[in-house]
Amino acid sequence: MLSSVEKILVRGRNYYLKRDDLIDPLLSGNKYRKLYALIQAPAEQYERIISYGGTQSNAMLSIAALCQQKGWRFDYTSKTVAAHLKKRPTGNLKVALELGMQLHEVEPVQYAEAIEALKATQGSSTLLLNQGGADPLARAGIEQLAHEIRVWQADQSIESPLHVVTPSGTGTTAYYLACALPDVWVWTTAVVGDSAYLLSQMGALGPLVANLKLLESPKKYHFAQPYAEFLAMYRELLEAGLEVDLIYGAQMWQALLEHRALLDGAVLYLHSGGLIGNETMLDRYVHKGLF
Ligand SMILES: *Cc1c(COP(=O)(O)O)cnc(C)c1O
């Protein structure tokens, strides 16, 4: 088992927590799982990893940590970074740069073209990873996670139906988990974009499966923005003994608690970490006067 399971009490109900956040200090929970095949790969297999996306991305930080361990070069393309951030990087960007990540900024209007051009740079020693690690390569590590959940459920005699809850960015984690656990309900919520966008992202990985369910909050949220209710959720969970990240975890718990009555049976929350980003997020709550 790569991670243990704990139990917490929230609003009078028990929840199990799969502590993937404790697997590695930098490879954030599900990123460890998604990168598992590469973590297992011999260092000689690649010289360089290429990826792209946001500059506070948890996937970016995790790939940077992986490449540093393997001695691989890591080239990362993003849209232009604000001047003050470049002078004094914070959060995930700071750590990723310290780990040796090579950042390549392109103007927003040229971004799509630049990403398209990256595909041509792939070769036997250079691997291009899709944004957020949304890659078929992620399947093996998520299957390992599914196996651990199955073994835990049997060992603890947890009755079916079991509900596993995990927030979605690309949806890679929720999708491969639902595929690997056909007898388990996998619940998620769209944190990047809306549910339709999430379903299309999942659909690119393979046909949708019936045990994968989306929860929606009545209010629409913009990705990685501060909201008073997320901060309130974060604090309530902290009181209960669980620190989640303010981007994915807080929104997932909000949707989960709103729809709690739908989930009849044991609930296992997959804790994927991302806590390094809380520092910069809390700064933004302070700036917005919400903290
Ligand atoms: C990346 C991440 C997610 C989203 O994972 P996907 O597989 O892209 O859906 C959820 N929670 C945390 C903490 C993450 O870092």
Side-chain angles (χ1 to χ4, degrees):
M1 295 270 172
L2 284 172
S3 72
S4 63
V5 175
E6 293 171 6
K7 209 164 155 181
I8 56 158
L9 190 69
V10 180
R11 298 189 190 170
R13 299 189 77 149
N14 280 313
Y15 294 86
Y16 294 102
L17 301 173
K18 178 77 171 152
R19 296 301 305 268
D20 272 16
D21 58 310
L22 301 179
I23 298 176
D24 186 284
L26 294 174
L27 278 86
S28 171
N30 63 354
K31 306 307 180 297
Y32 190 97
R33 302 288 186 177
K34 293 202 274 186
L35 296 171
Y36 189 72
L38 288 177
I39 292 168
Q40 299 301 311
E44 310 79 65
Q45 192 163 338
Y46 299 105
E47 283 169 12
R48 180 159 83 118
I49 306 290
I50 299 174
S51 193
Y52 55 92
T55 50
Q56 287 300 339
S57 149
N58 292 332
M60 173 197 76
L61 173 59
S62 299
I63 299 168
L66 168 72
C67 288
Q68 201 244 9
Q69 284 170 22
K70 296 284 185 185
W72 297 336
R73 178 185 165 99
F74 178 31
D75 288 305
Y76 191 75
T77 298
S78 76
K79 292 178 190 165
T80 335
V81 177
H84 72 274
L85 243 179
K86 239 168 91 178
K87 232 194 224 156
R88 208 166 293 134
T90 60
N92 288 351
L93 179 60
K94 176 172 190 274
V95 182
L97 290 170
E98 284 166 2
L99 289 166
M101 178 180 80
Q102 305 290 313
L103 181 67
H104 308 281
E105 296 166 77
V106 294
E107 294 292 334
V109 287
Q110 282 156 4
Y111 185 70
E113 206 180 310
I115 301 312
E116 202 47 45
L118 290 180
K119 292 182 184 152
T121 58
Q122 275 206 96
S124 60
S125 63
T126 297
L127 179 72
L128 172 65
L129 278 176
N130 285 332
Q131 175 160 17
D135 203 282
L137 210 100
R139 184 169 208 138
I142 303 292
E143 280 176 353
Q144 162 74 17
L145 167 62
H147 173 72
E148 290 182 22
I149 292 172
R150 247 185 267 115
V151 169
W152 163 79
Q153 188 184 7
D155 276 358
Q156 300 295 311
S157 309
I158 307 276
E159 280 181 32
S160 290
L162 170 68
H163 303 275
V164 175
V165 178
T166 183
S168 280
T170 63
T172 311
T173 306
Y175 177 74
Y176 285 137
L177 205 50
C179 291
L181 295 170
D183 302 328
V184 170
W185 292 103
V186 175
W187 299 84
T188 189
T189 197
V191 177
V192 180
D194 60 11
S195 295
Y197 176 73
L198 175 59
L199 289 172
S200 75
Q201 296 283 99
M202 289 171 164
L205 296 170
L208 294 178
V209 288
N211 60 315
L212 175 60
K213 297 281 202 181
L214 267 54
L215 294 174
E216 278 179 4
S217 289
K219 186 171 157 184
K220 295 288 157 246
Y221 297 104
H222 295 287
F223 180 62
Q225 295 300 314
Y227 292 98
E229 52 270 43
F230 291 174
L231 185 62
M233 191 72 257
Y234 169 82
R235 285 173 157 163
E236 182 182 346
L237 293 173
L238 208 54
E239 292 263 296
L242 164 67
E243 184 178 11
V244 291
D245 78 291
L246 280 153
I247 295 176
Y248 294 99
Q251 187 177 331
M252 183 73 251
W253 274 91
Q254 174 170 302
L256 170 61
L257 295 177
E258 278 167 4
H259 297 91
R260 186 59 182 86
L262 291 177
L263 284 68
D264 177 21
V267 177
L268 174 70
Y269 180 77
L270 176 61
H271 195 330
S272 281
L275 301 184
I276 293 177
N278 277 355
E279 182 199 336
T280 48
M281 278 308 288
L282 285 170
D283 279 348
R284 293 171 62 197
Y285 278 91
V286 172
H287 277 282
K288 259 202 144 182
L290 291 169
F291 194 75

PDB file of all heavy atoms in Angstrom, residues 28 30-31 34 58-59 132 166-174 198 245 248-249 272-274, ligand 1:
ATOM      1  N   SER A  28       2.218  15.587  -5.729  1.00  0.00           N
ATOM      2  CA  SER A  28       0.911  15.746  -5.124  1.00  0.00           C
ATOM      3  C   SER A  28      -0.028  14.564  -5.421  1.00  0.00           C
ATOM      4  O   SER A  28      -0.469  14.379  -6.533  1.00  0.00           O
ATOM      5  CB  SER A  28       0.330  17.054  -5.682  1.00  0.00           C
ATOM      6  OG  SER A  28      -0.997  17.216  -5.341  1.00  0.00           O
ATOM      7  N   ASN A  30      -2.598  12.454  -6.415  1.00  0.00           N
ATOM      8  CA  ASN A  30      -2.960  11.765  -7.656  1.00  0.00           C
ATOM      9  C   ASN A  30      -1.920  11.983  -8.755  1.00  0.00           C
ATOM     10  O   ASN A  30      -1.889  11.239  -9.730  1.00  0.00           O
ATOM     11  CB  ASN A  30      -4.372  12.146  -8.120  1.00  0.00           C
ATOM     12  CG  ASN A  30      -4.512  13.610  -8.463  1.00  0.00           C
ATOM     13  OD1 ASN A  30      -3.605  14.407  -8.260  1.00  0.00           O
ATOM     14  ND2 ASN A  30      -5.668  13.971  -9.007  1.00  0.00           N
ATOM     15  N   LYS A  31      -1.062  12.999  -8.609  1.00  0.00           N
ATOM     16  CA  LYS A  31       0.015  13.175  -9.592  1.00  0.00           C
ATOM     17  C   LYS A  31       1.048  12.055  -9.429  1.00  0.00           C
ATOM     18  O   LYS A  31       1.609  11.570 -10.399  1.00  0.00           O
ATOM     19  CB  LYS A  31       0.684  14.551  -9.461  1.00  0.00           C
ATOM     20  CG  LYS A  31      -0.267  15.733  -9.529  1.00  0.00           C
ATOM     21  CD  LYS A  31      -1.162  15.720 -10.769  1.00  0.00           C
ATOM     22  CE  LYS A  31      -2.111  16.898 -10.839  1.00  0.00           C
ATOM     23  NZ  LYS A  31      -3.100  16.980  -9.760  1.00  0.00           N
ATOM     24  N   LYS A  34      -0.578   9.283 -11.209  1.00  0.00           N
ATOM     25  CA  LYS A  34      -0.615   9.458 -12.665  1.00  0.00           C
ATOM     26  C   LYS A  34       0.778   9.337 -13.280  1.00  0.00           C
ATOM     27  O   LYS A  34       0.922   8.934 -14.427  1.00  0.00           O
ATOM     28  CB  LYS A  34      -1.235  10.820 -13.026  1.00  0.00           C
ATOM     29  CG  LYS A  34      -2.724  10.898 -12.651  1.00  0.00           C
ATOM     30  CD  LYS A  34      -3.463  11.954 -13.448  1.00  0.00           C
ATOM     31  CE  LYS A  34      -3.388  13.328 -12.862  1.00  0.00           C
ATOM     32  NZ  LYS A  34      -4.250  14.285 -13.607  1.00  0.00           N
ATOM     33  N   ASN A  58      -0.384  21.956 -10.070  1.00  0.00           N
ATOM     34  CA  ASN A  58       0.187  20.892  -9.242  1.00  0.00           C
ATOM     35  C   ASN A  58       0.898  19.858 -10.107  1.00  0.00           C
ATOM     36  O   ASN A  58       1.897  19.274  -9.694  1.00  0.00           O
ATOM     37  CB  ASN A  58      -0.911  20.200  -8.427  1.00  0.00           C
ATOM     38  CG  ASN A  58      -1.510  21.105  -7.361  1.00  0.00           C
ATOM     39  OD1 ASN A  58      -0.836  22.013  -6.866  1.00  0.00           O
ATOM     40  ND2 ASN A  58      -2.762  20.880  -7.019  1.00  0.00           N
ATOM     41  N   ALA A  59       0.369  19.647 -11.316  1.00  0.00           N
ATOM     42  CA  ALA A  59       0.999  18.678 -12.228  1.00  0.00           C
ATOM     43  C   ALA A  59       2.395  19.167 -12.616  1.00  0.00           C
ATOM     44  O   ALA A  59       3.355  18.395 -12.637  1.00  0.00           O
ATOM     45  CB  ALA A  59       0.132  18.477 -13.471  1.00  0.00           C
ATOM     46  N   GLY A 132      -1.696  18.739 -17.342  1.00  0.00           N
ATOM     47  CA  GLY A 132      -2.285  18.117 -16.150  1.00  0.00           C
ATOM     48  C   GLY A 132      -2.044  16.617 -16.059  1.00  0.00           C
ATOM     49  O   GLY A 132      -2.644  15.940 -15.234  1.00  0.00           O
ATOM     50  N   THR A 166     -13.570  12.216  -5.529  1.00  0.00           N
ATOM     51  CA  THR A 166     -12.326  12.892  -5.910  1.00  0.00           C
ATOM     52  C   THR A 166     -12.625  14.047  -6.867  1.00  0.00           C
ATOM     53  O   THR A 166     -13.398  13.879  -7.813  1.00  0.00           O
ATOM     54  CB  THR A 166     -11.316  11.889  -6.542  1.00  0.00           C
ATOM     55  OG1 THR A 166     -10.096  12.565  -6.826  1.00  0.00           O
ATOM     56  CG2 THR A 166     -11.822  11.272  -7.828  1.00  0.00           C
ATOM     57  N   PRO A 167     -12.064  15.227  -6.627  1.00  0.00           N
ATOM     58  CA  PRO A 167     -12.335  16.359  -7.524  1.00  0.00           C
ATOM     59  C   PRO A 167     -11.615  16.209  -8.865  1.00  0.00           C
ATOM     60  O   PRO A 167     -10.583  15.551  -8.943  1.00  0.00           O
ATOM     61  CB  PRO A 167     -11.759  17.559  -6.759  1.00  0.00           C
ATOM     62  CG  PRO A 167     -10.751  16.987  -5.819  1.00  0.00           C
ATOM     63  CD  PRO A 167     -11.193  15.592  -5.501  1.00  0.00           C
ATOM     64  N   SER A 168     -12.172  16.835  -9.908  1.00  0.00           N
ATOM     65  CA  SER A 168     -11.580  16.702 -11.236  1.00  0.00           C
ATOM     66  C   SER A 168     -11.064  18.005 -11.817  1.00  0.00           C
ATOM     67  O   SER A 168     -11.747  19.032 -11.780  1.00  0.00           O
ATOM     68  CB  SER A 168     -12.602  16.123 -12.228  1.00  0.00           C
ATOM     69  OG  SER A 168     -12.685  14.728 -12.072  1.00  0.00           O
ATOM     70  N   GLY A 169      -9.851  17.914 -12.365  1.00  0.00           N
ATOM     71  CA  GLY A 169      -9.325  18.954 -13.235  1.00  0.00           C
ATOM     72  C   GLY A 169      -9.486  18.428 -14.649  1.00  0.00           C
ATOM     73  O   GLY A 169     -10.464  18.709 -15.342  1.00  0.00           O
ATOM     74  N   THR A 170      -8.562  17.577 -15.068  1.00  0.00           N
ATOM     75  CA  THR A 170      -8.679  16.925 -16.374  1.00  0.00           C
ATOM     76  C   THR A 170      -9.676  15.771 -16.337  1.00  0.00           C
ATOM     77  O   THR A 170     -10.139  15.331 -17.383  1.00  0.00           O
ATOM     78  CB  THR A 170      -7.321  16.345 -16.796  1.00  0.00           C
ATOM     79  OG1 THR A 170      -6.948  15.332 -15.857  1.00  0.00           O
ATOM     80  CG2 THR A 170      -6.243  17.424 -16.818  1.00  0.00           C
ATOM     81  N   GLY A 171      -9.949  15.246 -15.141  1.00  0.00           N
ATOM     82  CA  GLY A 171     -10.843  14.098 -15.000  1.00  0.00           C
ATOM     83  C   GLY A 171     -10.142  12.760 -15.164  1.00  0.00           C
ATOM     84  O   GLY A 171     -10.783  11.706 -15.084  1.00  0.00           O
ATOM     85  N   THR A 172      -8.848  12.791 -15.357  1.00  0.00           N
ATOM     86  CA  THR A 172      -8.080  11.559 -15.594  1.00  0.00           C
ATOM     87  C   THR A 172      -8.166  10.603 -14.401  1.00  0.00           C
ATOM     88  O   THR A 172      -8.366   9.397 -14.563  1.00  0.00           O
ATOM     89  CB  THR A 172      -6.601  11.898 -15.869  1.00  0.00           C
ATOM     90  OG1 THR A 172      -6.546  12.923 -16.853  1.00  0.00           O
ATOM     91  CG2 THR A 172      -5.837  10.689 -16.351  1.00  0.00           C
ATOM     92  N   THR A 173      -8.030  11.154 -13.202  1.00  0.00           N
ATOM     93  CA  THR A 173      -8.048  10.326 -11.995  1.00  0.00           C
ATOM     94  C   THR A 173      -9.415   9.672 -11.823  1.00  0.00           C
ATOM     95  O   THR A 173      -9.519   8.451 -11.668  1.00  0.00           O
ATOM     96  CB  THR A 173      -7.723  11.186 -10.761  1.00  0.00           C
ATOM     97  OG1 THR A 173      -6.488  11.862 -10.989  1.00  0.00           O
ATOM     98  CG2 THR A 173      -7.631  10.336  -9.507  1.00  0.00           C
ATOM     99  N   ALA A 174     -10.472  10.485 -11.852  1.00  0.00           N
ATOM    100  CA  ALA A 174     -11.823   9.956 -11.651  1.00  0.00           C
ATOM    101  C   ALA A 174     -12.175   8.941 -12.739  1.00  0.00           C
ATOM    102  O   ALA A 174     -12.743   7.880 -12.462  1.00  0.00           O
ATOM    103  CB  ALA A 174     -12.837  11.096 -11.648  1.00  0.00           C
ATOM    104  N   LEU A 198     -15.853  18.752 -18.718  1.00  0.00           N
ATOM    105  CA  LEU A 198     -15.209  17.613 -18.047  1.00  0.00           C
ATOM    106  C   LEU A 198     -15.552  16.301 -18.755  1.00  0.00           C
ATOM    107  O   LEU A 198     -14.678  15.470 -18.998  1.00  0.00           O
ATOM    108  CB  LEU A 198     -15.642  17.562 -16.574  1.00  0.00           C
ATOM    109  CG  LEU A 198     -15.146  16.362 -15.769  1.00  0.00           C
ATOM    110  CD1 LEU A 198     -13.621  16.284 -15.756  1.00  0.00           C
ATOM    111  CD2 LEU A 198     -15.678  16.408 -14.342  1.00  0.00           C
ATOM    112  N   ASP A 245      -6.776  21.206  -0.144  1.00  0.00           N
ATOM    113  CA  ASP A 245      -6.318  22.355  -0.932  1.00  0.00           C
ATOM    114  C   ASP A 245      -7.528  23.235  -1.234  1.00  0.00           C
ATOM    115  O   ASP A 245      -8.664  22.747  -1.305  1.00  0.00           O
ATOM    116  CB  ASP A 245      -5.627  21.886  -2.215  1.00  0.00           C
ATOM    117  CG  ASP A 245      -6.622  21.476  -3.275  1.00  0.00           C
ATOM    118  OD1 ASP A 245      -7.282  20.445  -3.085  1.00  0.00           O
ATOM    119  OD2 ASP A 245      -6.773  22.199  -4.272  1.00  0.00           O
ATOM    120  N   TYR A 248      -9.152  22.473  -5.418  1.00  0.00           N
ATOM    121  CA  TYR A 248      -9.929  21.266  -5.733  1.00  0.00           C
ATOM    122  C   TYR A 248     -10.708  20.742  -4.522  1.00  0.00           C
ATOM    123  O   TYR A 248     -11.904  20.461  -4.609  1.00  0.00           O
ATOM    124  CB  TYR A 248      -8.999  20.156  -6.228  1.00  0.00           C
ATOM    125  CG  TYR A 248      -8.334  20.446  -7.543  1.00  0.00           C
ATOM    126  CD1 TYR A 248      -7.030  20.913  -7.600  1.00  0.00           C
ATOM    127  CD2 TYR A 248      -9.006  20.233  -8.743  1.00  0.00           C
ATOM    128  CE1 TYR A 248      -6.407  21.163  -8.815  1.00  0.00           C
ATOM    129  CE2 TYR A 248      -8.395  20.477  -9.958  1.00  0.00           C
ATOM    130  CZ  TYR A 248      -7.082  20.940  -9.994  1.00  0.00           C
ATOM    131  OH  TYR A 248      -6.477  21.184 -11.183  1.00  0.00           O
ATOM    132  N   GLY A 249     -10.003  20.564  -3.422  1.00  0.00           N
ATOM    133  CA  GLY A 249     -10.588  19.915  -2.252  1.00  0.00           C
ATOM    134  C   GLY A 249     -11.776  20.673  -1.684  1.00  0.00           C
ATOM    135  O   GLY A 249     -12.820  20.086  -1.393  1.00  0.00           O
ATOM    136  N   SER A 272      -5.741  14.155  -2.474  1.00  0.00           N
ATOM    137  CA  SER A 272      -4.654  14.259  -3.453  1.00  0.00           C
ATOM    138  C   SER A 272      -3.664  15.372  -3.150  1.00  0.00           C
ATOM    139  O   SER A 272      -2.883  15.744  -4.019  1.00  0.00           O
ATOM    140  CB  SER A 272      -5.238  14.444  -4.854  1.00  0.00           C
ATOM    141  OG  SER A 272      -5.672  13.188  -5.333  1.00  0.00           O
ATOM    142  N   GLY A 273      -3.712  15.924  -1.954  1.00  0.00           N
ATOM    143  CA  GLY A 273      -2.695  16.922  -1.586  1.00  0.00           C
ATOM    144  C   GLY A 273      -2.908  18.253  -2.276  1.00  0.00           C
ATOM    145  O   GLY A 273      -4.013  18.786  -2.276  1.00  0.00           O
ATOM    146  N   GLY A 274      -1.834  18.802  -2.836  1.00  0.00           N
ATOM    147  CA  GLY A 274      -1.916  20.124  -3.450  1.00  0.00           C
ATOM    148  C   GLY A 274      -1.794  21.232  -2.416  1.00  0.00           C
ATOM    149  O   GLY A 274      -2.102  22.392  -2.691  1.00  0.00           O
TER     150      GLY A 274
HETATM  151  C1  LIG B   1      -4.463  17.675 -10.150  1.00  0.00           C
HETATM  152  C2  LIG B   1      -5.370  17.609  -8.986  1.00  0.00           C
HETATM  153  C3  LIG B   1      -6.699  17.196  -9.125  1.00  0.00           C
HETATM  154  C4  LIG B   1      -7.318  16.866 -10.476  1.00  0.00           C
HETATM  155  O1  LIG B   1      -6.874  15.649 -11.026  1.00  0.00           O
HETATM  156  P1  LIG B   1      -7.307  15.216 -12.497  1.00  0.00           P
HETATM  157  O2  LIG B   1      -6.801  13.853 -12.667  1.00  0.00           O
HETATM  158  O3  LIG B   1      -6.633  16.186 -13.453  1.00  0.00           O
HETATM  159  O4  LIG B   1      -8.776  15.343 -12.616  1.00  0.00           O
HETATM  160  C5  LIG B   1      -7.479  17.130  -7.991  1.00  0.00           C
HETATM  161  N1  LIG B   1      -6.980  17.464  -6.779  1.00  0.00           N
HETATM  162  C6  LIG B   1      -5.713  17.886  -6.614  1.00  0.00           C
HETATM  163  C7  LIG B   1      -5.248  18.274  -5.263  1.00  0.00           C
HETATM  164  C8  LIG B   1      -4.867  17.971  -7.704  1.00  0.00           C
HETATM  165  O5  LIG B   1      -3.610  18.394  -7.537  1.00  0.00           O
END
